[in-house]
Amino acid sequence: MGKFSIIVYISIALLLLFFLSHSPKKTQNHRHRRLRLRSSYNFNPSRHESVAFDPLVADIERRREDRQWEKQYMENSHPELADHDAAPAHESQPEWEDFMNAEDYLNDEDKFNVTNRLVLLFPKIDVDPADGYINEHELTEWNMQQAEREVLHRSQREMETHDKNRDGFVSFAEYDPPSWVQNSDNNSFGYDMGWWKEEHFNASDADGNGLLNITEFNDFLHPADSKNPKLILWLCKEEVRERDSDKDGKVNFKEFFHGLFDLVRNYDDEVHNSSHLSDDSMDAPARQLFAQLDKDGDGYLSDVELLPIIGKLHPSERYYAKQQADYIISQADTDKDGRLTLTEMIENPYDMEIMSRIQILLLVRMNSLLKK
């Protein structure tokens, strides 16, 4: 293949990637605040983003993100060592050698062979039971595995930054809030609610030894996914602290209706695929739920009384994994039996987002050929 042909190929790939990245996508109502601590070097409170369905694509993205993270880390923590003369975005481009396994799934036309990947992945998903069909539970569990791997990887990477004495633990003295918090006016999102304070750290310290191991640190960064009762209660306290406009230490009905109930209603709407009603029509259901939560009947909600709905206020990764599974099935379930065959998945490849990710892979490959 001549250099001119390669340049043409790259131009076409770039054009296709542009159209894919700007094409309309099916929007999902992620109206919840996905409260998890962001990287020390990049705070972007955007909607929850799903992890790539294919572990191969996820690994490519993870390596690229690692390089971007390392560059930001050097620029912020060791500016004297940072390479300021490098070409823009050069460090964010992964080396092709990292992805030689991915080349095995490119066909003769340099297109990603989705069929081969699905044939390989299908039996890994179809396990409970292994009956030739993928149901919602199996797909949710698969998505959870990918999400947990991604979350833990990011937590391990973040822990390396804060574990200054390299003992495998993070103390409160070692943990530095992200730069966007350090440079804030103490009134920004997260800071005034205690996300960077010792109470949050201590709640994450399940064994109470004053140090966070990787499991505790992962919970610290992603409290909505934790099973630590101290951390879940802390999350409830933060809700009271945020919603308590009159600062009496509890949540009255007005504070509940115009804040917490909206989030509960959003969650239930998405789970049951229903639509919003007017505030007037929701007053009675809101009062009914408020009364159910108000166990002592004092007309206020305490942090403990918020425990039954905290999972709806802060949805976990499992919630999003199920959403993603439902969406995949809705797109590929041709015979509408609520499950997927291999044929259905091959004939209805999941989402254009995967294809845009694959085009990035192809572009990297073409760039590597051009350098030769």
Side-chain angles (χ1 to χ4, degrees):
M1 181 184 295
K3 280 194 173 182
F4 177 76
S5 299
I6 295 176
I7 293 173
V8 171
Y9 197 111
I10 292 176
S11 301
I12 295 173
L14 281 171
L15 185 62
L16 180 58
L17 179 58
F18 174 81
F19 283 119
L20 285 171
S21 62
H22 289 79
S23 61
K25 294 182 180 180
K26 174 182 173 65
T27 57
Q28 299 183 27
N29 291 326
H30 297 314
R31 290 166 287 185
H32 302 285
R33 298 164 305 145
R34 179 60 177 156
L35 290 188
R36 56 183 176 185
L37 300 195
R38 308 290 174 168
S39 166
S40 298
Y41 308 106
N42 182 23
F43 178 72
N44 180 21
S46 60
R47 65 177 177 82
H48 180 272
E49 295 183 1
S50 60
V51 180
F53 175 80
D54 188 337
L56 181 68
V57 178
D59 184 58
I60 293 173
E61 294 182 335
R62 191 178 301 120
R63 291 171 186 264
R64 182 185 296 110
E65 184 181 285
D66 283 348
R67 283 183 169 82
Q68 293 173 330
W69 180 90
E70 183 178 355
K71 178 177 181 292
Q72 287 182 298
Y73 170 73
M74 293 300 293
E75 289 176 348
N76 284 272
S77 299
H78 302 284
E80 72 282 0
L81 301 178
D83 184 4
H84 299 289
D85 297 326
H90 175 73
E91 291 80 357
S92 65
Q93 297 301 320
E95 297 295 334
W96 177 247
E97 288 74 11
D98 291 337
F99 312 128
M100 291 307 294
N101 290 337
E103 192 175 22
D104 296 339
Y105 298 97
L106 296 173
N107 60 24
D108 293 337
E109 298 177 352
D110 283 325
K111 294 182 179 179
F112 196 82
N113 197 324
V114 177
T115 298
N116 282 2
R117 287 301 295 163
L118 288 175
V119 169
L120 178 67
L121 295 176
F122 192 91
K124 297 182 179 181
I125 306 173
D126 177 28
V127 295
D128 187 22
D131 57 358
Y133 297 92
I134 291 179
N135 56 41
E136 180 196 67
H137 170 72
E138 290 170 325
L139 203 48
T140 298
E141 290 303 314
W142 173 261
N143 293 336
M144 272 298 298
Q145 291 174 22
Q146 313 317 310
E148 288 174 345
R149 185 179 296 113
E150 182 71 17
V151 166
L152 183 59
H153 174 78
R154 292 178 179 177
S155 295
Q156 289 171 333
R157 185 180 63 195
E158 196 76 14
M159 189 170 183
E160 291 177 4
T161 302
H162 299 289
D163 181 17
K164 296 180 174 59
N165 62 2
R166 298 294 183 262
D167 64 349
F169 299 92
V170 174
S171 66
F172 183 70
E174 287 178 310
Y175 185 77
D176 296 320
S179 57
W180 68 269
V181 172
Q182 296 174 352
N183 299 329
S184 70
D185 58 2
N186 291 1
N187 292 316
S188 60
F189 170 80
Y191 192 95
D192 58 334
M193 291 191 295
W195 284 84
W196 319 105
K197 298 179 181 177
E198 196 164 6
E199 182 184 1
H200 176 201
F201 185 94
N202 292 338
S204 305
D205 183 15
D207 57 14
N209 67 349
L211 301 170
L212 301 185
N213 58 33
I214 183 57
T215 300
E216 294 167 332
F217 189 70
N218 189 52
D219 285 350
F220 174 79
L221 297 179
H222 309 91
D225 298 304
S226 175
K227 294 181 174 59
N228 175 359
K230 290 196 303 181
L231 192 54
I232 298 301
L233 182 58
W234 171 83
L235 207 53
C236 293
K237 291 180 179 179
E238 291 305 301
E239 280 298 334
V240 172
R241 190 151 30 212
E242 180 184 2
R243 305 296 175 181
D244 181 21
S245 57
D246 58 11
K247 305 305 178 185
D248 62 354
K250 293 185 177 182
V251 175
N252 59 37
F253 177 75
K254 182 179 179 181
E255 294 164 338
F256 171 77
F257 183 74
H258 292 294
L260 300 179
F261 183 68
D262 286 339
L263 292 174
V264 173
R265 183 173 57 168
N266 288 342
Y267 182 98
D268 290 338
D269 283 350
E270 291 171 6
V271 169
H272 301 295
N273 196 27
S274 58
S275 58
H276 275 325
L277 300 174
S278 67
D279 282 352
D280 291 340
S281 63
M282 295 308 296
D283 183 80
R287 291 188 182 278
Q288 181 180 9
L289 178 58
F290 187 91
Q292 291 173 353
L293 296 172
D294 183 18
K295 297 299 183 182
D296 59 9
D298 65 349
Y300 299 90
L301 298 182
S302 65
D303 49 10
V304 175
E305 289 172 327
L306 289 181
L307 282 171
I309 60 170
I310 194 63
K312 295 183 177 182
L313 303 179
H314 299 274
S316 66
E317 286 292 348
R318 180 166 294 279
Y319 167 82
Y320 292 106
K322 183 179 181 301
Q323 266 200 343
Q324 189 176 0
D326 290 340
Y327 176 62
I328 294 174
I329 292 176
S330 72
Q331 297 297 298
D333 183 19
T334 305
D335 60 9
K336 304 304 179 185
D337 64 349
R339 55 187 184 175
L340 300 178
T341 63
L342 177 59
T343 300
E344 286 176 323
M345 294 191 74
I346 291 174
E347 292 178 351
N348 301 277
Y350 162 56
D351 207 356
M352 291 298 288
E353 181 182 2
I354 286 183
M355 301 309 296
S356 66
R357 287 166 165 171
I358 291 168
Q359 293 306 318
I360 295 174
L361 166 65
L362 293 179
L363 183 59
V364 171
R365 182 173 189 269
M366 289 298 100
N367 280 333
S368 68
L369 291 175
L370 188 59
K371 292 177 182 178
K372 293 181 179 179

